[in-house]
Amino acid sequence: MNKPYDFTVFIGRFQPFHAGHLRVVREGLNQSDKMILLIGSAWEPRNPRNPWTHQEREYMVRACLSEAENARLLCLPLMDVLYNDELWVRNVQSTVNGLVTAHHIVPHRPAKIALIGHRKDQTGFYLSLFPQWHSISIENYRAISATPIRESFFIDNPQQVVEELVKTEILPEQVANYLIRFSQNNGGFQQVHDEILFIKKYQRAWSAAPYPPVFVTVDSVVIQSGHILLIERKARPGKGLWALPGGFVDQGERLLEACLRELREETRLKVPTPVLKGSIRRQAVYDAPYRSARGRTITHAFCIELEPSTALPKVKGGDDARTARWVPLSELDPQEMFEDHYFIIQDMLGAV
């Protein structure tokens, strides 16, 4: 029986994969010969918003499908591109086009492609970004949201939580079984559990504020001779991850003053202040709403490009930094970077 489309495309984070997602996947498979599943927020370190790797999420999806359905499902990771929506759209287009070229069995006829999903909130904005494809909007099944699933799973008794979610038909049983194993045998569960508890304690300290607070921070993107200066975070959130030197702006402090102060406190960089100020090539504001788990945090970043040298300035971790070191730009790993710092670096370097 011919189906309306050759390919349906479903983009999501699936943190975790729940019954609402499964409804969309089954509908996509019903309406197309093959379904392309792009698993978003790939190659990120485990954190409260993205606790599972793209490989783990693909496993959850495939565990819910039959062998025949899995044979028609094409899964690929999709990295976020904060601060550059056009590049993200291009990545989606090129990924889908590559898969269509490889799997379209009627090359003499253009493939019929449809983007499928549900417009539950602002996260469904992508359904309007690809006018070259058909669009299939699916009703959000029982208004299921992954956020409360994650929070209860990591904070409460995992087994009791998933058993109740299966009973109420919010989680597929195959996903529930995987999550129970994850909580018992994977250090990643404890890591995210501890991070969530820290964040909740942090947010309680501001619970009496008359309105949700907005925090202001600064970050330094210091470049020299193809290297970038990073610090390893000593405490939560993001303990053990690599980050840009930076921190909160003190009362009565200007942004650049705060940036240079944090840079010296965390790296002990011995470059004269006039040289640092004279080496600023760009400054920009980074304000993705979910960039920090702590709450709404807007950072002002300064790109400092020092003159090339065969010897990089000595640095040493201090204050909130366990260590500081110069990292070759080619060795940056998004899975080891704190919050959106990898994307800040990419944006800054693209504009230098």
Side-chain angles (χ1 to χ4, degrees):
M1 178 179 174
N2 291 333
K3 296 182 182 293
Y5 302 102
D6 298 299
F7 297 86
T8 45
V9 180
F10 185 21
I11 306 172
R13 291 191 304 120
F14 316 118
Q15 295 274 17
F17 188 74
H18 56 61
H21 297 138
L22 184 56
R23 284 259 176 148
V24 177
V25 169
R26 291 207 185 282
E27 183 62 24
L29 289 169
N30 286 338
Q31 297 209 34
S32 63
D33 294 324
K34 292 187 181 295
M35 185 173 197
I36 297 171
L37 197 74
L38 299 183
I39 303 175
S41 298
W43 294 293
E44 288 197 12
R46 295 192 196 275
N47 58 64
R49 194 162 184 263
N50 293 296
W52 292 286
T53 68
H54 67 84
Q55 296 96 332
E56 291 165 344
R57 287 174 279 159
E58 179 176 351
Y59 178 88
M60 294 183 211
V61 176
R62 292 195 179 278
C64 299
L65 304 177
S66 68
E67 184 177 347
E69 289 171 328
N70 272 308
R72 296 166 49 215
L73 183 69
L74 307 170
C75 293
L76 276 182
L78 179 67
M79 190 173 185
D80 291 344
V81 187
L82 293 184
Y83 313 116
N84 193 330
D85 288 345
E86 291 74 19
L87 180 56
W88 183 84
V89 169
R90 189 181 74 184
N91 289 347
V92 172
Q93 291 174 339
S94 60
T95 300
V96 170
N97 291 342
L99 290 172
V100 168
T101 300
H103 294 275
H104 187 37
I105 60 175
V106 191
H108 61 275
R109 175 179 61 76
K112 294 180 182 178
I113 304 171
L115 193 65
I116 189 169
H118 51 70
R119 302 176 185 272
K120 65 170 185 174
D121 53 29
Q122 71 274 14
T123 61
F125 77 100
Y126 69 85
L127 290 172
S128 304
L129 295 178
F130 303 92
Q132 72 272 39
W133 300 332
H134 297 273
S135 180
I136 304 173
S137 184
I138 304 297
E139 183 180 353
N140 185 9
Y141 174 63
R142 295 175 54 192
I144 298 174
S145 171
T147 302
I149 295 175
R150 288 194 303 272
E151 290 186 353
S152 59
F153 173 72
F154 283 102
I155 293 176
D156 302 324
N157 183 298
Q159 181 142 354
Q160 290 180 1
V161 167
V162 297
E163 287 176 356
E164 181 62 27
L165 292 172
V166 170
K167 189 184 302 183
T168 54
E169 299 183 346
I170 290 175
L171 274 187
E173 187 173 354
Q174 299 90 334
V175 173
N177 292 337
Y178 174 79
L179 294 183
I180 290 173
R181 295 195 302 272
F182 177 85
S183 69
Q184 294 171 339
N185 305 316
N186 194 306
F189 175 86
Q190 191 64 43
Q191 174 190 338
V192 177
H193 168 82
D194 293 346
E195 193 88 348
I196 289 177
L197 290 184
F198 172 86
I199 294 298
K200 287 196 167 294
K201 181 179 178 181
Y202 184 93
Q203 292 174 340
R204 280 198 298 271
W206 295 91
S207 60
Y211 48 82
V214 176
F215 305 104
V216 179
T217 59
V218 287
D219 287 296
S220 301
V221 182
V222 184
I223 307 291
Q224 185 171 31
S225 303
H227 289 66
I228 185 166
L229 181 55
L230 299 178
I231 59 104
E232 182 186 3
R233 290 184 60 83
K234 185 165 57 177
R236 299 190 189 281
K239 182 178 180 180
L241 295 178
W242 291 95
L244 296 167
F248 291 93
V249 179
D250 289 342
Q251 292 291 326
E253 199 174 35
R254 302 194 66 175
L255 294 173
L256 180 55
E257 293 171 353
C259 176
L260 297 180
R261 172 184 56 76
E262 288 284 353
L263 176 61
R264 295 202 188 282
E265 288 177 356
E266 294 191 336
T267 71
R268 305 289 191 257
L269 179 65
K270 297 187 183 303
V271 174
T273 297
V275 174
L276 293 174
K277 288 184 175 180
S279 301
I280 295 173
R281 298 292 177 261
R282 184 189 177 212
Q283 55 182 296
V285 176
Y286 295 96
D287 60 353
Y290 299 107
R291 62 175 302 272
S292 177
R294 291 168 289 186
R296 189 76 166 99
T297 306
I298 299 173
T299 198
H300 298 251
F302 293 80
C303 184
I304 301 172
E305 188 177 14
L306 300 174
E307 288 293 326
S309 172
T310 55
L312 296 168
K314 291 183 178 181
V315 292
K316 180 181 179 181
D319 196 30
D320 297 326
R322 177 181 294 157
T323 58
R325 70 182 179 103
W326 293 96
V327 178
L329 291 171
S330 62
E331 295 181 9
L332 287 176
D333 183 352
Q335 296 178 99
E336 298 179 353
M337 296 291 296
F338 179 58
E339 290 185 344
D340 62 342
H341 290 197
Y342 178 83
F343 304 107
I344 291 176
I345 294 167
Q346 298 303 309
D347 182 68
M348 280 288 190
L349 297 186
V352 169

